[in-house]
């Protein structure tokens, strides 16, 4: 079989398994064998790129980089819906519909309202050719490469009577489970966590690196079909057809005849929706008949044939039992409220189950910082209100002050000393958080820094984990990442400890047997080969997350250059601002940190970037910044990038006021050109650029 045929065969097989899995929930193949097929396909395509198709299943794992998303017009505008918040408003809507249809009989389709971002997908001859965000409803961003990573979205559809061109619309979302995992990762990475799954989905669909989008496990429910040809009579027909073509149609929809049945549907899903794996914030009702939809028409913003009903965020009373103060890796102190249900007021806190809220039991809620405590004017023993809306972390929204007189309450006193090490807490001007300044001895800060050092995106030491670190720390074997490199088999073998988890109330026994010790030591040895940018990130310098570490490493190339850099030299790096520069300077002003870096270096950890330095051909572009966009005749973008750097120029990631030149090829986005023009950036053609460097 020649490569072209094999590529075709593999693609068909993989899509078949995918379809069975997502459509029929049947696994006909093991994950291992599935990955093997995918790998064979990817290898073949890499060898024969001429046979790679735009709908190849390998697109699902991503790998393309989109520097700037092109703005494109929607073929049909993407409108929004009017909202209602109570039964009366819904009945008013129903009255308007009845009048609008002159007494004809009509039906509604009820659907859940998913809380994600609306997306539109265009299919030409059955092949997915474009995925666009809603944008302003008229124009959105072309995020085709990223939507192809949605595994349940068919890249090619087969079916009878498919129009040559059609659009399918739906809600792109991040399931709760992926959201939680992502936020945990963001937290350890020192990057900002997403407030809710909707923000996470929105951010993830707009990542430049589609491989990262693929890792975030986004999904999509489809809820409408559009084409120039009228091929369906009703919304119901279109949903059934979409389903039969292999689309992931939003589950739970129902056809009803009256507004009373709509209200019944609303009540039915009020609790049930909290058991779904994704966020929902209401329901949508739509007139079923397309003919009647056309009769009713649109207002300027929204259809007259559909409306949404929004559920109120669930808000319940709870008792504030006590407040804990958690010290993080950076020393920031976060107050956390311990809550119980009102019925549990007199129960010992250890036996408390918490408040039942949106499907889960809530025992703790963050109070963010000292200002929030003042703002809420909250007291221990108070009856407070807790809410879980789109956000995952429950919020305390207020205090029931009337109840206060019935019980003894006590002011919440923010500690003046670190609850872990007793140091006097401090607060920087302009910042809300109090922090413990004892960064070289405060236990949770030390442990936190080691945990950060072993993180997947830092040294990736997965043979160690939180529990093992705690054990090593408590026994005085490690208190900084450098101590890891002094561990030996003799020191580790036979160590044991029971570790109690406050959150779960469970005790876990950790013991270091031969195999464990071998893995730990192997992992530590291997970490010496981790690239410099990972080490730099692993140091846990404030504001130096993975992305910033990457930029610094490729600019300065070594830890010595970074530690010697002045504030001005640091801020000269594209996208490195004053806050980061100051944090780096202050990090290296601490003798313990200098010592840590020296010890890591002596242990053999990579403190230099081994990216090949670009050989300098000239310095005619010195001090000049460039963005490359579009397709070029003589060079590809990577070659142009090397040319620019070889002549002393620098590449920026986006068009901004700092940019000198936009190197523009064919097919580049009109919005980027427009922005460059507005900012007075010089736009260069390939020839003009070649002229510049002679
Ligand atoms: S239909 C003409 N159905 O809610 C509007 N929208 O404000 C057609 N949404 O932008 C939208 N679930 O992002 C429709 N089952 C559903 C939906 C849904 C969520 C979102 C969608 C839209 C917004 C409407």
């Amino acid at each position: 079989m020649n490569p072209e045929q094999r590529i075709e065969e593999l693609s068909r097989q993989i899509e078949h398994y995918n379809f069975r899995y997502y459509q029929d929930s049947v696994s006909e193949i093991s994950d291992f064998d599935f990955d093997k097929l995918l790998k064979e396909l990817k290898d073949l395509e890499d060898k024969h790129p001429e046979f790679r198709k735009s709908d190849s299943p390998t697109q699902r794992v991503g790998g393309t980089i989109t520097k700037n998303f092109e703005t494109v017009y929607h073929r049909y505008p993407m409108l929004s819906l009017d909202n209602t918040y109570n039964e009366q408003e819904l009945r008013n809507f129903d009255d308007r519909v009845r009048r609008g249809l002159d007494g004809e009989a009509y039906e509604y389709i009820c659907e859940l309202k998913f809380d994600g971002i609306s997306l539109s997908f265009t299919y030409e001859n059955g092949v997915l050719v474009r995925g666009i965000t809603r944008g302003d409803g008229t124009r959105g961003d072309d995020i085709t490469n990223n939507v192809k990573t949605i595994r349940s979205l068919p890249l090619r559809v087969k079916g009878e009577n498919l129009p040559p061109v059609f659009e399918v619309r739906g809600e792109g979302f991040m399931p709760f489970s992926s959201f939680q995992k992502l936020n945990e990762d963001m937290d350890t990475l020192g990057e900002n966590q997403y407030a809710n799954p909707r923000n996470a989905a929105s951010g993830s669909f707009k990542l430049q690196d589609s491989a990262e989008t693929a890792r975030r496990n986004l999904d999509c429910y489809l809820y409408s079909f559009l084409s120039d040809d009228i091929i369906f009579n009703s919304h119901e027909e279109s949903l059934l057809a979409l389903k039969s073509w292999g689309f992931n149609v939003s589950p739970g929809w129902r056809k009803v005849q009256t507004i009373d049945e709509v209200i019944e549907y609303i009540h039915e899903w009020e609790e049930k929706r909290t058991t779904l794996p994704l966020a929902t914030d209401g329901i949508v009702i739509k007139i079923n008949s397309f003919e009647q939809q056309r009769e009713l028409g649109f207002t300027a913003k929204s259809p007259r044939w559909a409306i949404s009903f929004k559920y109120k965020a669930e808000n319940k009373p709870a008792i504030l039992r006590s407040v804990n103060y958690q010290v993080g890796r950076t020393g920031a102190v976060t107050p956390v409220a311990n809550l119980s249900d009102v019925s549990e007021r007199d129960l010992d806190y250890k036996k408390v189950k918490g408040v039942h809220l949106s499907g889960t039991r809530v025992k703790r809620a963050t109070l963010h910082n000292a200002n929030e405590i003042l703002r809420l004017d909250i007291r221990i023993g108070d009856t407070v209100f807790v809410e879980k809306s789109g956000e995952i972390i429950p919020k305390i929204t207020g205090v029931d002050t009337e109840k206060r007189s019935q019980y003894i309450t006590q002011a919440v006193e923010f500690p003046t000393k670190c609850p872990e090490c007793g140091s006097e807490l401090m607060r920087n001007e302009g910042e809300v958080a109090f922090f413990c300044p004892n960064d070289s001895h405060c236990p949770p800060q030390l442990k936190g820094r080691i945990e950060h050092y072993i993180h997947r995106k830092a040294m990736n030491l997965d043979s160690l984990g939180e529990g093992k670190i705690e054990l090593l720390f408590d026994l005085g074997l490690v208190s900084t990442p450098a101590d890891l490199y002094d561990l030996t088999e003799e020191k580790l073998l036979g160590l044991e400890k029971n570790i109690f988890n406050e959150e779960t109330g469970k005790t876990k026994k950790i013991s270091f047997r031969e195999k464990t010790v071998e893995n730990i030591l192997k992992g530590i040895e291997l970490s010496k080969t981790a690239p410099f940018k990972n080490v730099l990130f692993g140091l846990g310098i404030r504001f130096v997350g993975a992305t910033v570490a990457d930029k610094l490493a490729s600019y300065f190339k070594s830890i010595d250059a970074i530690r010697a850099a002045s504030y001005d030299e640091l801020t000269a790096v594209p996208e490195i601002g004053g806050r980061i520069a100051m944090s780096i300077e202050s990090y290296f002003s601490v003798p313990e940190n200098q010592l840590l870096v020296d010890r890591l270096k002596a242990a053999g950890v990579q403190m230099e970037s081994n990216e090949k330095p670009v050989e300098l051909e000239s310095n005619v572009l010195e001090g000049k910044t460039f963005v490359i966009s579009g397709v070029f005749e003589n060079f590809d973008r990577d070659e142009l990038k090397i040319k620019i750097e070889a002549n002393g120029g620098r590449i920026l990631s986006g068009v901004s006021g700092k940019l000198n030149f936009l190197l523009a090829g064919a097919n580049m986005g009109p919005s980027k050109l427009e922005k460059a023009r507005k900012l007075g950036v010089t736009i260069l053609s390939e020839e003009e650029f070649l002229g510049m460097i002679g």
Side-chain angles (χ1 to χ4, degrees):
M1 197 181 288
N2 68 34
E4 189 178 7
Q5 286 167 331
R6 181 66 184 149
I7 285 178
E8 181 59 30
E9 182 182 68
L10 283 166
S11 302
R12 259 189 290 114
Q13 276 178 357
I14 294 170
E15 280 304 277
H16 165 79
Y17 293 128
N18 233 351
F19 185 88
R20 290 287 285 156
Y21 185 75
Y22 286 102
Q23 215 41 45
D24 311 330
S25 305
V26 177
S27 269
E28 286 184 353
I29 183 172
S30 70
D31 286 357
F32 179 77
D33 290 333
F34 184 87
D35 289 344
K36 222 163 73 182
L37 292 180
L38 203 61
K39 175 146 191 344
E40 184 187 344
L41 178 60
K42 174 139 197 336
D43 290 347
L44 264 180
E45 286 180 347
D46 286 345
K47 242 194 244 152
H48 305 278
E50 68 276 22
F51 301 137
R52 179 183 288 136
K53 297 227 178 94
S54 72
D55 63 349
S56 164
T58 55
Q59 303 284 314
R60 302 219 185 268
V61 288
T64 47
I65 305 284
T66 317
K67 277 286 181 193
N68 274 66
F69 298 104
E70 222 176 291
T71 313
V72 287
Y73 278 90
H74 290 294
R75 201 181 162 92
Y76 316 96
M78 288 185 87
L79 301 172
S80 60
L81 293 171
D82 276 342
N83 294 321
T84 57
Y85 298 89
N86 56 48
E87 273 185 37
Q88 191 49 52
E89 288 173 357
L90 265 181
R91 291 189 190 280
N92 295 346
F93 165 77
D94 186 48
D95 289 341
R96 289 197 298 276
V97 166
R98 189 171 316 108
R99 282 199 302 274
L101 293 177
D102 265 345
E104 279 173 43
Y106 52 90
E107 296 169 326
Y108 288 121
I109 301 285
C110 303
E111 290 169 14
L112 285 153
K113 187 169 191 302
F114 305 101
D115 200 8
I117 66 166
S118 21
L119 297 172
S120 179
F121 308 101
T122 308
Y123 286 79
E124 284 175 14
N125 302 317
V127 176
L128 172 68
V129 293
R130 210 166 302 112
I132 318 177
T133 62
R134 178 172 184 276
D136 62 7
T138 309
R139 302 186 317 171
D141 288 328
D142 182 336
I143 53 163
T144 309
N145 291 325
N146 288 348
V147 302
K148 283 183 180 169
T149 67
I150 305 174
R151 287 181 182 256
S152 65
L153 184 71
L155 299 176
R156 190 193 322 204
V157 280
K158 282 183 233 93
E160 278 167 30
N161 312 326
L162 279 179
V165 181
F166 64 87
E167 257 183 62
V168 176
R169 289 181 179 172
E171 199 79 353
F173 63 87
M174 183 177 284
F176 287 133
S177 55
S178 317
F179 171 73
Q180 198 179 350
K181 202 176 142 297
L182 175 64
N183 260 356
E184 280 166 13
D185 279 356
M186 299 300 258
D187 190 34
T188 11
L189 285 175
E191 301 194 353
N192 288 341
Q193 290 179 294
Y194 290 106
N196 53 48
R198 177 172 17 87
N199 292 2
S202 166
S204 305
F205 274 116
K206 296 276 292 283
L207 289 170
Q208 294 183 337
D209 179 1
S210 60
E212 181 57 28
T213 306
R215 271 192 287 277
R216 294 192 181 183
N217 286 318
L218 297 158
D219 207 341
C220 185
Y221 280 147
L222 286 319
Y223 48 65
S224 64
F225 172 90
L226 297 130
S227 76
D228 285 347
D229 319 293
I230 300 173
I231 57 169
F232 301 119
N233 294 315
S234 67
H235 185 52
E236 177 185 30
E237 273 178 27
S238 72
L239 290 180
L240 292 172
L242 282 176
K243 174 103 186 138
S244 75
W245 293 338
F247 286 98
N248 196 13
V249 170
S250 59
W253 64 273
R254 181 187 301 164
K255 184 168 74 175
V256 301
Q257 327 290 330
T258 66
I259 199 71
D260 287 325
E261 284 174 89
V262 170
I263 290 163
E264 221 169 89
Y265 181 89
I266 290 175
H267 290 314
E268 214 177 292
W269 277 100
E270 176 142 28
E271 269 296 312
K272 212 160 71 178
R273 72 192 180 99
T274 63
T275 62
L276 295 173
L278 79 158
T280 52
D281 59 353
I283 66 142
V284 179
I285 61 174
K286 304 171 181 173
I287 282 288
N288 189 24
S289 145
F290 283 158
E291 176 70 46
Q292 291 180 334
Q293 287 190 4
R294 280 187 290 275
E295 266 176 65
L296 289 164
F298 299 87
T299 68
K301 277 194 351 266
S302 46
R304 288 201 187 88
W305 46 263
I307 203 145
S308 83
F309 172 88
K310 292 256 199 156
Y311 288 113
K312 279 195 209 66
E314 205 185 355
N315 193 303
K316 276 199 177 158
I319 309 298
L320 177 67
R321 302 289 297 260
S322 58
V323 178
N324 281 358
Y325 298 87
Q326 281 179 352
V327 184
R329 164 172 70 86
T330 58
V333 180
T334 311
V336 179
N338 293 319
L339 305 168
S340 75
D341 190 69
V342 271
S343 65
E344 299 169 320
R345 187 184 274 275
D346 301 319
L347 215 61
D348 183 46
Y349 192 68
K350 279 200 194 96
K351 296 193 180 133
V352 152
K353 291 215 170 66
V355 191
H356 196 82
L357 206 60
S358 305
T360 49
R361 290 268 180 192
V362 172
K363 276 180 81 175
R364 315 181 95 202
T366 174
L367 283 163
H368 301 289
N369 51 54
N371 290 4
E372 178 72 357
I373 294 175
L374 292 177
R375 189 185 72 80
L376 289 167
D377 180 25
I378 196 174
R379 296 174 67 88
I380 310 276
D382 259 342
T383 307
V384 300
F385 295 107
V386 230
E387 181 169 305
K388 219 169 132 189
S389 47
E391 332 289 295
I392 285 300
I393 303 166
K395 267 202 307 230
I396 294 183
T397 54
V399 178
D400 187 346
T401 39
E402 277 176 26
K403 290 260 163 50
R404 192 171 272 173
S405 57
Q406 297 171 28
Y407 303 96
I408 301 166
T409 64
Q410 185 193 331
V412 177
E413 284 193 34
F414 206 91
T416 55
K417 293 202 160 60
C418 174
E420 299 280 347
C421 74
S423 305
E424 199 77 30
L425 295 182
M426 301 187 18
R427 174 138 78 164
N428 286 333
E429 212 180 294
E431 286 183 18
V432 284
F434 278 98
F435 69 94
C436 165
N438 181 16
D439 49 5
S440 39
H441 294 101
C442 180
Q445 296 191 55
L446 295 176
K447 270 188 277 186
R449 284 209 288 274
I450 303 168
E451 278 158 19
H452 178 76
Y453 184 78
I454 66 167
H455 187 268
R456 183 170 54 81
K457 290 217 176 165
M459 306 309 270
N460 193 18
L461 259 164
D462 58 5
S463 51
L464 281 171
E466 233 173 86
K468 294 192 184 108
I469 297 285
E470 182 153 343
L471 185 155
L472 295 173
F473 181 86
D474 289 352
L475 296 175
L477 283 167
V478 295
S479 59
T480 81
D483 295 334
L484 293 171
Y485 298 92
D486 293 338
L487 294 174
T488 59
E489 193 179 329
E490 297 78 68
K491 287 186 189 167
L492 296 177
L493 210 59
L495 299 180
E496 244 177 31
K497 192 171 187 231
N498 288 329
I499 299 211
F500 178 72
N501 182 332
E502 253 181 63
E503 195 83 0
T504 58
K506 285 189 186 136
T507 304
K508 202 164 79 180
K509 180 167 184 161
I510 302 211
S511 51
F512 283 13
R513 282 191 217 108
E514 217 160 292
K515 191 79 201 153
T516 317
V517 172
E518 193 187 313
N519 284 339
I520 293 176
L521 293 174
K522 239 197 238 156
I524 293 175
E525 195 51 37
L526 197 67
S527 74
K528 295 179 186 169
T529 60
F532 170 51
K533 61 174 188 192
N534 295 44
V535 181
L536 182 58
F537 165 62
L539 292 178
I541 304 173
R542 211 165 167 219
F543 306 130
V544 180
T547 326
V548 171
D550 194 0
K551 289 200 176 108
L552 289 167
S554 59
Y555 190 92
F556 287 106
K557 312 266 188 274
S558 75
I559 198 78
D560 290 333
I562 296 175
R563 81 168 133 181
S566 67
Y567 177 88
D568 289 344
E569 283 164 337
L570 288 165
T571 48
V573 183
E575 289 155 90
I576 302 298
R579 190 178 70 142
I580 300 173
M582 253 155 46
S583 166
I584 295 171
E585 281 196 321
S586 109
Y587 180 86
F588 285 111
S589 71
V590 177
E592 277 94 345
N593 293 338
Q594 297 268 12
L595 181 69
L596 168 69
V597 168
D598 291 338
R599 282 183 63 201
L600 288 175
K601 203 175 184 185
V605 170
Q606 301 290 318
M607 287 296 180
E608 279 174 26
S609 159
N610 47 19
E611 262 177 43
K612 268 195 238 94
V614 179
E615 260 177 60
L616 221 52
E617 292 170 7
S618 82
N619 51 12
V620 289
L621 303 182
E622 201 175 300
K624 302 277 188 288
T625 53
F626 291 80
V627 161
I628 311 172
S629 184
V631 187
F632 299 87
E633 262 175 40
N634 302 306
F635 297 98
D636 67 27
R637 289 199 220 181
D638 283 338
E639 290 169 330
L640 285 171
K641 182 173 172 254
I642 292 171
K643 274 272 164 236
I644 289 170
E645 288 177 342
N647 288 283
R650 275 202 336 251
I651 307 287
L652 298 190
S653 61
V655 177
S656 69
K658 283 192 196 166
L659 180 65
N660 301 119
F661 297 104
L662 174 66
L663 185 44
N667 293 336
M668 71 165 292
S671 62
K672 199 189 280 180
L673 266 181
E674 203 180 297
K675 187 168 174 194
R677 284 211 183 95
K678 258 195 209 142
L679 292 169
V681 173
T682 310
I683 296 161
L684 289 178
S685 68
E686 191 174 356
E687 290 77 55
E688 284 167 328
F689 170 70
L690 294 176
M692 266 173 97
I693 57 170

